[in-house]
Amino acid sequence: MARPTLKAVLLSPQRTLGDKPLLIVGPSLGTSSVVWAQAGSLLANDVDVVAWDLPGHGVSPAATEPFSVAELADAVVELVDSIAPGERFHYAGVSLGGATGLQLGIKHGDRLKSLSVQCSGAKLGTPEAWQERAETVRTQGTPVMIQGSAGRWFAPGFMDREPELSSRLLHSLRDTDRFSYAFCCGALAGFDVRAELGSITVPTQAVAGAEDSVAPPSFAQEVAAGITAGGGTASAVTLEGVAHLAPAEAPAHVAELLRTLITWSETRGAAK
């Protein structure tokens, strides 16, 4: 396994980094920084928002060999160090991006100021299902996933209300490198940090969509309970009318949750 290379997309205005809190945001499998564009713009006056794309998605180069979710977390830290060396940062991720966030909390907690895990969990799906999906996409390409993903990603009615955004997200999936997508499936097949949640000490918010069939609200509750059982600070929130892509489906609500978490964490840090 090798650490993949990730590329960043700035979602806030170009300015000197360091004057405002730094928020790194991570995507879900098959999407790109587009999933965070609206929520990021709502936070852009108060926070420097930097998105990253998964290998072979968006602007990130394709992966050539397998990697783990822990190695994605290492790659996120490497990316941050390339733009703000040694800086501590706030992190929010959706689905696979959220799983990466949990690994950041477990392995790189000293670098985090706060963590928002959205539409995700400490274990997602089964290894068998992920391996089966990886094989399907390797042989047939990512377009084969579009219909199923549309059904999982968006709550009923969203595609009618937001045709342009949902189309852009589904185009991200279509344009994703099939082998990189398969490697991401392999990473999720091997991902299970349920026993390690208690080691996360950074203030954490677990956000779920009430309509999410992939990572239902019970997953967010499990994350929060696992962290608090270890003595950490965590809460679980369920958003009504939201399925699997909370930042895209409810950008204003997600931005407000993040603003509250970041403000509280910054104040807490300054008081220490």
Side-chain angles (χ1 to χ4, degrees), residues 34-57:
V34 170
V35 77
W36 279 103
Q38 287 181 283
S41 70
L42 292 169
L43 293 163
N45 287 337
D46 311 309
V47 182
D48 288 322
V49 187
V50 176
W52 60 272
D53 284 333
L54 288 159
H57 296 57

Side-chain angles (χ1 to χ4, degrees), residues 52-72:
W52 60 272
D53 284 333
L54 288 159
H57 296 57
V59 298
S60 289
T64 55
E65 51 190 314
F67 53 84
S68 65
V69 178
E71 282 160 335
L72 277 178

Side-chain angles (χ1 to χ4, degrees), residues 146-263:
I146 287 176
Q147 190 173 354
S149 294
R152 288 188 295 271
W153 286 358
F154 309 122
F158 179 80
M159 291 180 73
D160 294 330
R161 289 195 310 275
E162 297 279 357
E164 189 182 343
L165 177 57
S166 48
S167 175
R168 285 181 72 198
L169 287 162
L170 291 167
H171 275 102
S172 297
L173 172 58
R174 185 197 65 191
D175 296 339
T176 294
D177 172 64
R178 67 168 72 184
F179 300 106
S180 299
Y181 185 105
F183 286 139
C184 288
C185 291
L188 283 163
F191 175 72
D192 184 350
V193 296
R194 289 174 294 180
E196 299 166 80
L197 291 172
S199 67
I200 296 175
T201 57
V202 64
T204 302
Q205 181 183 79
V207 180
E211 308 283 335
D212 193 350
S213 61
V214 180
S218 60
F219 283 29
Q221 290 154 10
E222 180 183 48
V223 166
I227 293 170
T228 53
T233 304
S235 60
V237 183
T238 299
L239 304 183
E240 296 301 323
V242 168
H244 194 52
L245 298 184
E249 294 179 274
H253 203 153
V254 164
E256 194 49 47
L257 286 169
L258 282 171
R259 186 177 282 110
T260 301
L261 177 66
I262 290 168
T263 302

Side-chain angles (χ1 to χ4, degrees), residues 128-152:
E128 298 76 22
W130 286 120
Q131 297 293 4
E132 186 180 321
R133 189 191 295 193
E135 187 55 33
T136 299
V137 170
R138 259 195 301 267
T139 54
Q140 299 178 50
T142 52
V144 74
M145 297 305 304
I146 287 176
Q147 190 173 354
S149 294
R152 288 188 295 271

